């Protein structure tokens, strides 16, 4: 296994499946996370240059469950505010004996940092619009929990795909498996990268896209990543692209509905979020199990 988890492409298909299976060991029969004192000699730092609730907190909970020390690096009160570079910042943590850095950054800096600081293990917790590998792992685990396998499934991903690192890492991961189909849907101006995709197809009409789907992943509009203010009539947008109970009727009856969070209720209605088909809250819990597996594997070298 690679030393760092920078991208899903760092993992083979077998390594993806092994991490997902391994993560199941961290959940007991009652659905609680096991607490193991496996890495009391290790220190993990959460270094987030962009907002996060689920990813950051689940890494923190996972680290605590494994007995590691976990540092919450606060960018806003750090010397980054005095102009210190990302390299010097992480190098300082490295010199203090931090073993593993969980990094979220709006720019593509992680590869260079990993090369410059070979003693530190790096886990990518979100790289701009580019990638979010642990999200892809927890998404694949959630699908396997419900569908037993990733093979033979009809998967739909809908929303603001151009800005979605969740989509890009999921596509990288899922391309290892013989799925039946992968359909991208959403406003054409938010799906420019997916109109002629390497795998799968683009279907702008969401009702068409949803036909017989087994898995539907919805994504919010990432307003913070648009260069210009988005001039969008929300009601028109919702009519075409919001996952509603009516639109969902086109999918299979046992289709699962996913969303990485945070949910804005523009891309999905509250009724669908709360429906029996929704596994969105299970994705949050699976985030802890997957991150326990990832930290264990990558702290073990
Ligand atoms: N939480 C996910 C991410 O960090 C999705 C989102 O923000 O919409 O990419």
């Amino acid at each position: 296994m690679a030393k760092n988890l920078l991208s899903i492409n760092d993992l083979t298909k077998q390594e993806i499946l092994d991490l997902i299976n391994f993560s199941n060991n961290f959940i007991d029969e009652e659905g609680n996370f096991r607490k193991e004192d496996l890495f009391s000699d290790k220190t993990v730092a959460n270094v987030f240059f962009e907002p996060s609730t689920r990813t950051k907190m689940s890494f923190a909970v996972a680290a605590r469950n494994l007995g590691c020390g976990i540092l919450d690096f606060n960018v806003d009160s750090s010397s980054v505010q005095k102009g210190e570079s990302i390299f010097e910042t992480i190098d300082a943590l490295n010199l203090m004996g931090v073993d593993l850095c969980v990094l979220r950054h709006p720019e593509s800096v992680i590869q260079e940092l990993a090369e410059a600081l070979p003693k530190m293990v790096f886990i990518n917790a979100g790289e701009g619009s580019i990638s979010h590998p642990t999200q892809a792992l927890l998404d694949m685990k959630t699908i396997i929990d419900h569908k037993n396998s990733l093979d033979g499934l009809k998967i739909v991903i809908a929303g603001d795909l151009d800005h979605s690192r969740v989509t890009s890492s999921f596509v990288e991961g899922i391309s290892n498996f013989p799925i039946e189909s992968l359909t991208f849907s959403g406003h054409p101006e938010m799906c420019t990268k997916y109109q002629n995709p390497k795998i799968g197809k683009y279907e702008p009409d969401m009702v068409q896209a949803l036909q017989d789907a087994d898995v539907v992943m919805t994504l919010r509009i990432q307003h913070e990543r648009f260069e210009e203010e988005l001039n969008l009539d929300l009601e028109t947008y919702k009519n075409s692209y919001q996952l509603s109970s009516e639109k969902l009727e086109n999918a299979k009856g046992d289709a699962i509905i996913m969303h990485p969070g945070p949910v804005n209720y523009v891309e999905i209605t509250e009724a669908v979020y709360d429906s029996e088909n929704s596994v969105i809250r299970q994705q949050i819990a699976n985030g802890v199990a997957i991150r326990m597996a990832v930290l264990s594997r990558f702290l073990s070298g």
Side-chain angles (χ1 to χ4, degrees):
M1 186 166 293
K3 180 178 126 330
N4 306 297
L5 181 55
L6 306 186
S7 143
I8 275 285
N9 290 335
D10 290 340
L11 303 172
T12 62
K13 174 181 180 180
Q14 195 52 50
E15 284 169 342
I16 292 173
L17 290 171
D18 288 348
L19 276 169
I20 292 172
N21 284 334
F22 187 41
S23 74
N24 293 330
N25 297 327
F26 294 112
I27 306 177
D28 70 17
E29 297 73 39
E30 273 108 59
N32 298 317
F33 302 112
R34 288 186 208 281
K35 310 256 183 318
E36 323 255 357
D37 202 14
L38 296 173
F39 297 100
S40 54
D41 57 334
K42 299 287 186 191
T43 303
V44 172
N46 258 341
V47 183
F48 280 60
F49 283 79
E50 283 187 346
S52 174
T53 296
R54 291 159 189 72
T55 306
K56 187 175 176 186
M57 290 299 107
S58 62
F59 267 111
V61 171
R64 287 188 63 145
N65 288 349
L66 295 168
C68 316
I70 171 83
L71 304 178
D72 182 5
F73 181 81
N74 185 336
V75 174
D76 292 337
S77 61
S78 73
S79 292
V80 171
Q81 304 309 325
K82 302 180 193 167
E84 189 161 46
S85 74
I86 174 89
F87 174 82
E88 257 116 36
T89 303
I90 309 291
D91 187 39
L93 297 177
N94 187 31
L95 293 167
M96 291 173 204
V98 170
D99 300 284
L100 184 148
C101 173
V102 176
L103 182 69
R104 171 170 289 190
H105 199 281
E107 279 148 36
S108 290
V109 292
I110 196 165
Q111 178 83 40
E112 223 175 292
L113 284 168
E115 280 162 22
L117 300 170
K119 272 181 66 195
M120 179 84 99
V121 177
F122 285 88
I123 306 292
N124 177 358
E127 176 186 12
S129 303
I130 309 238
S131 66
H132 194 352
T134 58
Q135 177 74 41
L137 290 170
L138 78 88
D139 289 341
M140 290 189 280
K141 167 173 164 50
T142 307
I143 297 174
I144 293 173
D145 285 350
H146 288 271
K147 302 286 172 196
N148 293 319
S149 156
L150 295 161
D151 302 354
L153 296 175
K154 290 190 167 185
I155 302 178
V156 178
I157 309 181
D160 174 11
L161 307 188
D162 280 348
H163 295 112
S164 177
R165 54 192 173 206
V166 173
T167 301
S168 39
S169 283
F170 181 78
V171 171
E172 280 171 23
I174 207 73
S175 63
N176 288 286
F177 297 88
I179 54 171
E180 167 83 24
S181 65
L182 181 60
T183 307
F184 302 101
S185 190
H187 193 297
E189 283 172 35
M190 297 181 196
C191 297
T192 58
K193 296 184 198 160
Y194 291 89
Q195 312 233 340
N196 293 300
K198 272 197 229 119
I199 67 160
K201 64 170 195 302
Y202 172 64
E203 172 52 72
D205 180 343
M206 199 167 172
V207 170
Q208 285 301 323
L210 289 169
Q211 292 302 323
D212 293 327
D214 296 291
V215 175
V216 185
M217 188 185 288
T218 52
L219 296 155
R220 76 181 168 100
I221 302 174
Q222 300 213 357
H223 292 275
E224 71 276 25
R225 295 196 197 279
F226 282 83
E227 275 162 25
E228 284 156 32
E229 215 188 308
L230 190 58
N231 245 333
L232 200 68
D233 179 58
L234 275 190
E235 287 316 308
T236 315
Y237 182 86
K238 284 186 194 170
N239 268 337
S240 301
Y241 305 112
Q242 182 183 52
L243 185 63
S244 59
S245 308
E246 298 74 51
K247 289 196 193 81
L248 187 57
E249 273 171 26
N250 295 283
K252 289 196 182 134
D254 64 351
I256 58 167
I257 311 307
M258 303 176 70
H259 192 305
V263 172
N264 287 158
Y265 297 115
V266 168
E267 66 283 10
I268 184 172
T269 62
E270 287 187 50
V272 175
Y273 180 95
D274 289 330
S275 71
E276 275 183 10
N277 300 63
S278 169
V279 298
I280 297 169
R281 295 173 65 250
Q282 292 163 39
Q283 285 174 271
I284 299 175
N286 277 342
V288 173
I290 280 292
R291 288 166 181 131
M292 286 180 79
V294 165
L295 289 178
S296 299
R297 281 281 191 262
F298 286 87
L299 282 171
S300 306

